[in-house]
Amino acid sequence: MSLRPFRDIHRKKTKVINVGDVKIGGDNPISVQSMTNTLTTDIQATIKQINDIHEEGADLVRVSCPDKESSFALKEITKNVSIPIIADIHFHYKRAIEASENGAKCLRINPGNIGDKLKIHDVLSAAKNNGCSIRVGVNAGSLEKDILEKYKEPCPEALVESAQRNIKILEDQDFFNFKISVKSSDVFLSIAAYRQLSEVTDYPLHLGITEAGSFISGSIKSSIGLGSLLMDGIGDTIRISLSDDPVKEIKIGNEILKSLNLRNRGVRIISCPSCARQAFQVIDTVKILEEKLSHIKTPLTLSIIGCVVNGPGEAAMTDIGITGGGKGNNMLYLSGIQSEKVLSENIISKVVSEVEKKAAELDKKLK
């Protein structure tokens, strides 16, 4: 039995699929992905953005292929990145075939939008021949006409019916290496649709709140929507959709997973909002430390608390902690135990040094 069962999340056991060398579903870690916003035909800019996204902690990156030039650009792009690329395809089946032949490891399509069965068959054959998986992407804003007429408006039942219809199209062609999404910009609609879909299928689910908005509002909407589903044990891969730098999408996605103990990467900082009791500038300190510790990939915890009200208690629960003290004499905690006093002006350098040392120790143990 778990020591703290109230923290346990029991993930639904879904089928396992492969997106390149990344396994999605089953007991595999929940993967995080983003999407480039460069012109795909600007090959060097796209490669740079993919590598920036990867460096932030992405497992997968999606690239839009709206035309032939974009799908053929994938050949050069995929040679210069070390992360599986998902090709975003809408309507034209030839773009999907070209993308699979030019290095994409997954095709994001809505089979119902591709056209007749022969075209779908050609896409699936190309995917099979090139070891390419598929994401069936159902969106509230692009439901099939007859489903929309049946339900009058986008609703959970409409999204799930569309997903099931598209699942059958793939299964009828003996294609099973796929995941599914039922996205909406409406948090309530998305949560309800994913919960219903999880009840009727065992295929891995790609979670997202589509067109979530700007950095602040989009991050909040995504945290509520994805957090609710992840706590239910639903979801195998996630994307945070922000009108902002795609690198920030990865940062938010990883933070959501870290907060739920579903995945750990890098330093998890616990810090107070600060008040008149603070013995040093907590907010500025945390901002600087986030930047200076961004290179640490080893999971560990750090508490930065401005005074002794909650400081010792938080420090006892983290790998490294700083608690504010009188006259600039702040206490450093290592593994929950008092270590030494640190002057306010030395906090940054001391914490960075101790975090790097701890990360090296943990890495050594893992080898």
Side-chain angles (χ1 to χ4, degrees):
M1 184 177 176
S2 172
L3 183 62
R4 298 179 181 88
F6 59 89
R7 292 182 181 171
D8 293 344
I9 292 176
H10 303 286
R11 286 179 61 194
K12 177 177 177 177
K13 196 72 170 285
T14 53
K15 298 176 181 178
V16 177
I17 71 162
N18 297 298
V19 180
D21 58 1
V22 176
K23 291 186 179 297
I24 308 291
D27 294 322
N28 294 291
I30 296 170
S31 62
V32 182
Q33 58 182 273
S34 181
M35 184 174 181
T36 57
N37 56 21
T38 55
L39 286 175
T40 307
T41 49
D42 187 341
I43 292 173
Q44 292 308 313
T46 302
I47 289 171
K48 182 183 183 305
Q49 192 169 71
I50 291 170
N51 288 331
D52 288 345
I53 293 168
H54 188 193
E55 177 63 24
E56 188 61 38
D59 303 288
L60 308 163
V61 177
R62 183 155 45 114
V63 175
S64 182
C65 294
D67 48 41
K68 185 177 181 179
E69 292 75 20
S70 296
S71 56
F72 275 86
L74 288 181
K75 191 166 189 176
E76 187 66 21
I77 291 168
T78 54
K79 287 179 183 177
N80 289 278
V81 299
S82 55
I83 187 170
I85 299 300
I86 302 165
D88 194 71
I89 309 294
H90 289 277
F91 303 114
H92 207 303
Y93 80 106
K94 286 189 177 179
R95 301 295 84 81
I97 295 171
E98 293 159 0
S100 66
E101 292 173 344
N102 284 291
K105 295 302 181 184
C106 181
L107 305 175
R108 187 278 186 199
I109 63 172
N110 187 329
N113 289 340
I114 292 292
D116 60 49
K117 288 186 177 180
L118 184 58
K119 291 178 180 177
I120 295 170
H121 177 267
D122 289 346
V123 170
L124 297 180
S125 293
K128 283 182 182 178
N129 293 337
N130 292 284
C132 200
S133 61
I134 282 177
R135 170 160 74 94
V136 174
V138 175
N139 275 357
S142 56
L143 285 169
E144 294 92 330
K145 186 178 179 180
D146 65 313
I147 290 180
L148 203 51
E149 288 176 350
K150 176 181 177 180
Y151 291 99
K152 309 305 180 188
E153 65 176 6
C155 62
E157 292 75 17
L159 287 168
V160 172
E161 183 170 326
S162 177
Q164 289 179 302
R165 177 183 294 182
N166 286 294
I167 288 170
K168 189 174 188 307
I169 291 172
L170 270 64
E171 289 180 334
D172 286 349
Q173 297 292 333
D174 294 322
F175 193 96
F176 306 100
N177 190 31
F178 65 89
K179 48 195 167 83
I180 320 159
S181 65
V182 281
K183 291 185 178 183
S184 168
S185 59
D186 182 296
V187 173
F188 297 95
L189 175 54
S190 296
I191 292 173
Y194 274 112
R195 283 175 175 163
Q196 287 188 24
L197 183 61
S198 180
E199 290 290 325
V200 298
T201 186
D202 290 326
Y203 288 104
L205 300 186
H206 166 96
L207 302 187
I209 304 297
T210 195
E211 299 148 357
S214 63
F215 179 70
I216 292 177
S217 61
S219 297
I220 291 170
K221 285 175 69 175
S222 297
S223 298
I224 294 169
L226 273 61
S228 298
L229 292 165
L230 290 166
M231 289 183 74
D232 286 344
I234 296 170
D236 303 283
T237 180
I238 66 172
R239 191 256 170 122
I240 311 300
S241 298
L242 303 177
S243 301
D244 211 312
D245 184 346
V247 172
K248 293 182 180 179
E249 297 184 349
I250 300 303
K251 187 181 290 290
I252 297 302
N254 276 317
E255 286 298 324
I256 290 172
L257 294 179
K258 281 163 67 175
S259 69
L260 296 174
N261 295 322
L262 286 169
R263 195 169 181 189
N264 291 311
R265 183 182 188 274
V267 182
R268 181 186 300 181
I269 298 179
I270 296 163
S271 60
C272 68
S274 81
C275 68
R277 291 192 304 267
Q278 67 177 353
F280 61 91
Q281 291 296 321
V282 173
I283 293 173
D284 292 341
T285 300
V286 171
K287 286 180 179 178
I288 295 169
L289 285 172
E290 280 186 329
E291 182 66 29
K292 288 187 174 290
L293 297 174
S294 62
H295 66 290
I296 302 292
K297 311 306 179 190
T298 308
L300 55 85
T301 53
L302 167 66
S303 58
I304 306 293
I305 310 296
C307 75
V308 296
V309 173
N310 291 322
E314 293 291 355
M317 303 293 288
T318 54
D319 295 304
I320 297 162
I322 283 282
T323 295
K327 300 179 181 179
N329 288 308
N330 312 290
M331 182 57 67
L332 172 71
Y333 290 76
L334 299 177
S335 300
I337 299 171
Q338 286 189 6
S339 175
E340 61 183 283
K341 289 183 178 179
V342 180
L343 294 175
S344 296
E345 59 265 31
N346 297 332
I347 286 177
I348 300 294
S349 59
K350 185 63 177 177
V351 168
V352 170
S353 174
E354 292 297 337
V355 168
E356 289 178 338
K357 189 189 301 182
K358 184 67 176 180
E361 291 175 4
L362 294 173
D363 287 341
K364 191 175 181 180
K365 288 180 181 179
L366 292 172
K367 289 180 180 178

